[in-house]
Amino acid sequence: MSTKKEQVFQWLDERFQLSPLIEFMRHKMVPIHRHTIWYYMGGVSLFLFIVQLFTGILLLLYYQPGEDSAYESIRFIMNKVPFGWLFRSIHSWGANLFIFFIFVHMFSTYFTAAYRKPRELTWVTGFILLLLAMGFGFSGYLLPWNELAFFATKVGTDIAGVVPLIGDAIKIVLRGGPDVTGATLTRFYAFHIALIPAIFTIFLGIHLLFVQRQGMHEPESVANMPADRKKMIPFFPNFLLRDVFAWLIVLNLVLFLSVFFPWEIGVKADPFVPAPAGIRPEWFFMFMFQALKWIPPHILGMEGEVLGVLAFAIAALAWMLVPFWEIRSRSTGKLKPMVLIGLFALFFIIVMTIIGYAV
C-alpha cells in the first residue's frame, strides 16, 4: 500500500512539482504568544466560505429565481427535499457567522497593527473581501422573496440611490428598473451566484498568496524578543491541525444554531401591500441604517441622508487605507491614537447595532 502511495505521489510530483510546496510548508513557522488565537480567525472565515460554497451549490439544485417561483422553491427545499431545511439553515447561519468572523479578523489585525509594512496590500485585499462578503449577504437576503427581504432591499437600494451624481444609476443597475421587482430578484441572483463569487475568489487568492509569502505577523512585543526566547511551531502539521480543530468547533456551532434555531422563510413578498412596521436590514448594515435615521433631514442646505452616506463612504475609504496614513505615536501607553480610533469604530458599530434592534 505504501509503495502504491509513493508511486501515486511520484506521478503527481513529476507533473505538479509538489515537493517544493511540502518543503515550504514544513519549514514555515508560526509564532506562539498571547495573541496567537487571532491567527485562527482568518482560517475560520475561510472555512465558513467553503461551507457557503458547498451548501449554496446544494440549494442551487432546487432554487428557481423568479417572482412566482423563488418563494415556492424555498418552501419546496424546506418541506420536500431531504435535509433541505437543514442545508438552508446552515447556509443562512453560516453566512452571518462568515461576515462576523471577517469583522473579528479585521479588528484583530487592526489592533495588533498587522497592517503595517510589508502587509499594506494584505490589509487592503482583506477589507475588499469584507465588502464583498457584505455584498454576498445583501444579494442573498432577497433570494427567498419574502416580505422582510423585499422591503429591506427596497430600503437598501433607496439608500444607494442618494449617492450624489451616480446614485440613481446605481439604483437602476441594482434593481433592474425604477422599483424592486422580479427583475431585481434575477439581478441579485446573478450577483450572488456568479459575479460576486468570481470577484471574491480572485481577491481571496491574492490575499492568501500574500499571507503565505509574508508569513504570520508578530506583534512588536514578540518581534523585539531575542530569537532564542521566541516560541514557534511548524505550520504543517502543528498549526494546520489546530486550525482544523477551530473549524470543527465552528462547524458544531453552525449545526447547533441550524438544528435548534432553523432559519424561517417568512411571508411571501407582496409589492402591493404597505411595508410592515419594523423593517430592518441585516445586522451588518444596522449601524449605518440606525445612524442615517438619526441624521437631521437637512444640514447646511444639504440633505442629511446624502451627507451621511458620503461620510460612511469616506470613513470606509480611510479605513481601507489605514496602513498609508497611520498616526505613529512615541507614547508607551496602551491608548495610542490608532487604538483610540479603532476602539471608537468598534464602539460605534456595536452600540448603533444594539440601538437599531432595541428601538
Side-chain angles (χ1 to χ4, degrees):
M1 181 65 78
S2 175
T3 308
K4 284 285 182 190
K5 284 182 180 176
E6 288 172 3
Q7 288 175 349
V8 171
F9 177 78
Q10 189 176 357
W11 190 89
L12 292 170
D13 192 31
E14 287 174 356
R15 286 154 182 81
F16 301 105
Q17 305 295 311
L18 297 179
S19 294
L21 178 63
I22 293 173
E23 282 303 306
F24 171 75
M25 290 174 69
R26 279 180 180 163
H27 287 91
K28 183 179 177 181
M29 304 298 284
V30 178
I32 298 296
H33 47 80
R34 62 193 176 100
H35 297 299
T36 298
I37 189 171
W38 303 118
Y39 289 158
Y40 300 103
M41 299 299 113
V44 167
S45 304
L46 177 62
F47 170 70
L48 286 167
F49 175 63
I50 295 168
V51 170
Q52 290 308 102
L53 279 182
F54 177 69
T55 53
I57 290 171
L58 292 177
L59 294 174
L60 203 59
L61 297 176
Y62 296 96
Y63 179 74
Q64 297 177 17
E67 211 168 340
D68 298 323
S69 57
Y71 185 83
E72 281 69 20
S73 65
I74 294 290
R75 285 188 63 183
F76 181 80
I77 290 170
M78 295 181 68
N79 297 322
K80 300 293 183 183
V81 177
F83 299 104
W85 65 272
L86 180 61
F87 284 113
R88 179 174 178 255
S89 283
I90 291 173
H91 194 71
S92 301
W93 279 113
N96 284 277
L97 288 173
F98 173 50
I99 295 173
F100 172 77
F101 276 104
I102 295 180
F103 266 107
V104 174
H105 182 44
M106 179 183 72
F107 275 105
S108 64
T109 302
Y110 178 89
F111 285 117
T112 54
Y115 53 78
R116 287 179 178 167
K117 183 183 178 181
R119 296 179 176 80
E120 298 96 327
L121 294 182
T122 312
W123 167 268
V124 171
T125 53
F127 183 75
I128 292 172
L129 287 173
L130 171 64
L131 297 181
L132 290 169
M134 293 170 77
F136 264 127
F138 184 60
S139 57
Y141 196 46
L142 181 66
L143 299 191
W145 198 247
N146 60 30
E147 191 177 62
L148 183 63
F150 176 83
F151 287 105
T153 303
K154 204 173 174 62
V155 172
T157 48
D158 276 337
I159 291 173
V162 303
V163 176
L165 302 177
I166 58 171
D168 285 337
I170 293 174
K171 191 164 80 172
I172 294 294
V173 168
L174 289 175
R175 289 182 172 181
D179 215 337
V180 177
T181 62
T184 316
L185 180 61
T186 306
R187 291 204 171 197
F188 274 45
Y189 178 67
F191 295 154
H192 192 71
I193 69 156
L195 183 62
I196 298 177
I199 300 173
F200 191 93
T201 304
I202 292 170
F203 277 96
L204 179 62
I206 295 171
H207 189 74
L208 292 177
L209 177 66
F210 287 166
V211 172
Q212 290 305 315
R213 290 294 297 167
Q214 296 169 332
M216 300 294 191
H217 167 261
E218 293 180 353
E220 273 187 14
S221 57
V222 178
N224 295 332
M225 278 184 183
D228 58 337
R229 287 188 57 197
K230 289 183 183 178
K231 294 180 181 176
M232 310 287 276
I233 60 170
F235 176 82
F236 180 82
N238 302 49
F239 182 79
L240 189 59
L241 286 175
R242 294 184 184 195
D243 224 1
V244 171
F245 182 65
W247 296 2
L248 288 175
I249 293 173
V250 172
L251 180 61
N252 277 281
L253 174 63
V254 175
L255 288 173
F256 174 82
L257 291 169
S258 302
V259 170
F260 292 101
F261 304 97
W263 208 263
E264 298 290 338
I265 186 173
V267 179
K268 185 176 179 179
D270 183 352
F272 299 105
V273 301
I279 289 294
R280 300 186 180 100
E282 291 273 63
W283 64 268
F284 41 87
F285 289 117
M286 181 60 83
F287 69 98
M288 289 184 277
F289 179 72
Q290 184 59 35
L292 290 174
K293 279 170 62 177
W294 280 2
I295 295 176
H298 298 284
I299 301 173
L300 301 174
M302 287 188 68
E303 287 190 33
E305 198 174 33
V306 174
L307 279 178
V309 170
L310 285 175
F312 276 117
I314 293 169
L317 182 64
W319 189 260
M320 184 174 74
L321 299 177
V322 154
F324 305 103
W325 60 263
E326 179 190 8
I327 303 169
R328 298 290 184 112
S329 170
R330 295 180 180 176
S331 167
T332 55
K334 290 184 178 179
L335 293 180
K336 296 177 180 176
M338 296 309 290
V339 174
L340 286 173
I341 291 171
L343 287 175
F344 173 78
L346 191 59
F347 177 80
F348 178 80
I349 291 172
I350 292 174
V351 170
M352 295 305 279
T353 301
I354 292 172
I355 292 173
Y357 281 103
V359 296

